[in-house]
Amino acid sequence: MGYNFRVFETVKSKAENTALIPITPGRYLICTDTSDVYYDTKDNVRKHLTDIIDLETDAERTAILAPLDKFYFVKDTAHFWRYLNDAWVDLTSGSGASDAVYATLAADGWANGKQSISINGLGANQNGIISITQDISAQAMEAVKNGELYVCAQADGTITIAADGTVPTCDIPTVIILLS
């Protein structure tokens, strides 16, 4: 039996607010501020998992002679485990994978208040996040604010940004995080 788990870190106030972090079935949210764990079910419900066994080290986990079919959190590795059907499953290993793609909204690339960015590997229904880069200039930041930019369309290989305010007259550096 294969497992496909997606684990993300956040804080409790965001995990409890599905408007900020929408429910994504199969995803685990680990709260860095409280150590709470939430799971998004296929029925679009976010469940607060409360029956988790905390362990200090992975050696402590592997030394358990008769593990219970429960969740285990190992503090020194920050790995979340599930013991199920006589097997250990690392819920954090290789999960929550993402790719960062950097692109520029060109000052001269706007048409009718919209601009499309080509992104290799982007699927039409793939989840992700688009934001400005950390090294954005003050001029570009002001243009983003005045532009009231938002994603208005997505297709295989492209994402389209629209300006609900003033169309930017300078380049806007962006980062797109593609979630797998």
Side-chain angles (χ1 to χ4, degrees):
M1 176 183 289
Y3 293 89
N4 183 15
F5 294 96
R6 294 175 289 168
V7 179
F8 297 91
E9 291 183 349
T10 188
V11 293
K12 186 173 182 173
S13 62
K14 289 183 180 179
E16 291 178 337
N17 186 340
T18 57
L20 287 175
I21 302 177
I23 293 173
T24 302
R27 176 173 57 190
Y28 287 87
L29 296 170
I30 297 177
C31 301
T32 56
D33 57 343
T34 62
S35 298
D36 285 284
V37 178
Y38 293 84
Y39 175 70
D40 292 348
T41 71
K42 65 181 177 179
D43 300 324
N44 287 321
V45 174
R46 179 159 294 152
K47 290 194 174 191
H48 185 196
L49 303 179
T50 57
D51 194 13
I52 300 168
I53 298 169
D54 283 328
L55 302 170
E56 293 298 324
T57 66
D58 200 55
E60 188 178 339
R61 178 188 62 82
T62 58
I64 298 172
L65 296 176
L68 302 171
D69 283 351
K70 293 186 178 258
F71 293 98
Y72 295 79
F73 182 73
V74 178
K75 293 177 184 176
D76 76 337
T77 62
H79 276 240
F80 190 48
W81 293 86
R82 173 83 164 137
Y83 190 80
L84 186 62
N85 300 325
D86 297 322
W88 286 104
V89 178
D90 186 349
L91 303 179
T92 39
S93 180
S95 59
S98 65
D99 292 312
V101 177
Y102 295 88
T104 301
L105 291 166
D108 61 355
W110 297 93
N112 298 318
K114 296 180 182 177
Q115 186 171 158
S116 293
I117 302 172
S118 295
I119 304 169
N120 287 334
L122 176 66
N125 296 310
Q126 184 174 3
N127 286 328
I129 301 164
I130 184 167
S131 185
I132 54 176
T133 61
Q134 293 177 359
D135 61 350
I136 191 168
S137 69
Q139 177 191 15
M141 176 63 88
E142 191 65 26
V144 169
K145 290 177 187 176
N146 292 336
E148 299 178 33
L149 305 181
Y150 67 97
V151 175
C152 67
Q154 180 175 327
D156 285 334
T158 64
I159 190 167
T160 303
I161 308 301
D164 197 33
T166 306
V167 174
T169 58
C170 62
D171 291 347
I172 308 292
T174 66
V175 59
I176 300 99
I177 308 296
L178 303 177
L179 302 175
S180 57

